[in-house]
Amino acid sequence: MRICLALIVSAIFFTSSAQSVSASVDRDKILLGEQVTLKISLNRINENNFFVATWPQINDTINHAEIVKRAAIDTINVAGNFTYQQNFVITSFDSGRWQLGPFNFIIQEKSTGKKIQLQTPPLYLTVLPVDVSSLKEYHPIKDIIDVPTGFNWLPVIIAALLVLLIATIAFIIIKRKKKPASQPRPELKGTPLERALKKLKALQQQNLSSTGAIKKFHSDMDDATRQYIEEVTNIKALHLTAGELLPRLKFYMQDAAERNNFSRIFNLNASVKFARYLPGETESKNTLEEIIRIITDIDENINRARTDADRLVPKY
């Protein structure tokens, strides 16, 4: 009898009384093609003393297992200690017992710059072949029956008339509503940062002598920044308010002062777009220079994290 309750298999590695990492799957045995949830966590991080330098970059295929869906990194704050966690839905089409992990994290001490590597013990997932031994025949064997020898043309004639009618209707509809040929999607050139900087630096040449020009300047600045964030983080930045967007950027912007500055700029752009505030040309241009600096720093942090992950995470 199959057990209804999910089996939680966890591996937790403590490096000190403060920080820990964990990895778990909600079941350690599945049938071919079934799905299981893998969760990795970095626990009890005091952001006054540490920040996350490297998060595990897990490939789409992990040792005979495939990533079906990966969720965004969630942040939980409990009395000033932060827990970061990420879920992955995985499956496998190869029977056997497969190792998942270990998964490597790196945190860095803010005061000394010292890096601490945390590693989870490996997990094991058993993939079982599908059991077909219990299948039964649904239809009994019947006796031989006589069939008429003459061919009945009526169904063939009816089917031919229906096909002709459907073809005629389809031809008329297509002829009346012929759609223009779809245009190929333009090929994007350069990296997301290069495309964003090109748009932002073009704004530096604009004349901000009118109210309309200032509003368009801040609207274009906001759109270019959000487009860059959406491309490099997969966060739906174009559809989020500043209050919804900033918490999701916490992993990519470890410095609290820089996050506050970024929040101030987003709120300024929103105030200008909705006619609640009209800055001068100098303030607008200074805001643009600050945005360029911040997204350049974000890009450097992301590239550094990916480089560290490629060097530290085992390949499967």
Side-chain angles (χ1 to χ4, degrees):
M1 183 176 180
R2 188 175 180 178
I3 299 176
C4 297
L5 295 177
L7 175 63
I8 304 298
V9 178
S10 302
I12 303 178
F13 176 73
F14 290 92
T15 60
S16 71
S17 61
Q19 303 88 30
S20 69
V21 293
S22 65
S24 66
V25 288
D26 57 6
R27 286 180 295 162
D28 66 345
K29 292 184 179 65
I30 62 172
L31 295 177
L32 287 176
E34 283 191 322
Q35 296 181 356
V36 64
T37 299
L38 165 67
K39 180 170 75 174
I40 60 175
S41 301
L42 176 59
N43 310 307
R44 296 191 298 277
I45 301 299
N46 189 322
E47 291 198 343
N48 294 325
N49 302 324
F50 297 93
F51 69 89
V52 181
T54 300
W55 186 265
Q57 299 297 312
I58 300 179
N59 295 332
D60 291 338
T61 302
I62 321 173
N63 192 22
H64 298 273
E66 300 178 9
I67 301 294
V68 178
K69 180 181 179 181
R70 63 181 73 216
I73 299 172
D74 288 332
T75 304
I76 303 172
N77 182 1
V78 179
N81 289 322
F82 288 82
T83 293
Y84 305 94
Q85 62 184 28
Q86 187 174 20
N87 290 341
F88 303 84
V89 178
I90 63 175
T91 187
S92 177
F93 297 95
D94 296 329
S95 60
R97 187 170 184 262
W98 310 119
Q99 177 178 321
L100 307 177
F103 304 104
N104 294 285
F105 302 74
I106 294 180
I107 61 175
Q108 185 168 342
E109 193 171 358
K110 291 184 177 181
S111 60
T112 64
K114 179 182 177 181
K115 293 185 177 180
I116 303 173
Q117 179 174 335
L118 310 175
Q119 185 181 77
T120 68
L123 303 173
Y124 294 92
L125 177 65
T126 301
V127 183
L128 304 173
V130 178
D131 182 10
V132 296
S133 61
S134 62
L135 293 180
K136 298 180 180 179
E137 294 188 16
Y138 291 95
H139 305 287
I141 300 176
K142 295 184 178 180
D143 294 334
I144 298 175
I145 60 174
D146 294 330
V147 295
T149 56
F151 188 79
N152 186 3
W153 287 96
L154 182 60
V156 177
I157 295 173
I158 294 175
L161 291 175
L162 287 175
V163 170
L164 181 61
L165 177 61
I166 293 172
T168 302
I169 294 174
F171 175 79
I172 294 173
I173 293 175
I174 294 173
K175 188 174 180 180
R176 289 181 178 179
K177 299 182 178 180
K178 187 175 181 180
K179 296 182 179 179
S182 59
Q183 297 295 326
R185 297 181 64 180
E187 183 178 355
L188 298 177
K189 296 181 180 180
T191 66
L193 178 63
E194 290 171 346
R195 292 193 292 273
L197 290 180
K198 183 178 180 181
K199 295 177 182 177
L200 293 173
K201 290 183 178 180
L203 296 177
Q204 292 176 326
Q205 312 302 323
Q206 291 189 5
N207 183 1
L208 304 182
S209 58
S210 67
T211 300
I214 294 176
K215 288 184 178 181
K216 187 176 186 305
F217 176 91
H218 283 269
S219 178
D220 291 345
M221 183 200 314
D222 189 75
D223 290 343
T225 305
R226 289 173 178 269
Q227 181 66 46
Y228 165 76
I229 293 172
E230 186 160 310
E231 288 185 31
V232 298
T233 66
N234 291 324
I235 298 172
K236 302 301 181 184
L238 292 172
H239 307 288
L240 297 175
T241 65
E244 295 169 336
L245 176 59
L246 266 299
R248 290 172 167 82
L249 293 176
K250 197 169 188 179
F251 180 76
Y252 304 96
M253 301 177 67
Q254 301 291 338
D255 186 78
E258 188 165 85
R259 289 198 304 271
N260 291 335
N261 193 25
F262 207 36
S263 174
R264 180 187 60 79
I265 292 173
F266 268 104
N267 290 329
L268 172 63
N269 288 338
S271 296
V272 176
K273 287 167 61 177
F274 296 104
R276 295 194 296 266
Y277 177 69
L278 187 66
E281 181 174 359
T282 300
E283 183 179 0
S284 296
K285 292 294 180 69
N286 290 340
T287 302
L288 177 61
E289 293 296 332
E290 191 67 13
I291 278 290
I292 291 174
R293 184 192 65 76
I294 290 175
I295 69 170
T296 302
D297 289 344
I298 292 176
D299 204 80
E300 290 177 358
N301 292 336
I302 292 174
N303 289 334
R304 187 183 306 112
R306 288 174 178 168
T307 300
D308 291 341
D310 290 340
R311 179 172 54 85
L312 295 173
V313 177
K315 302 295 182 181
Y316 298 93

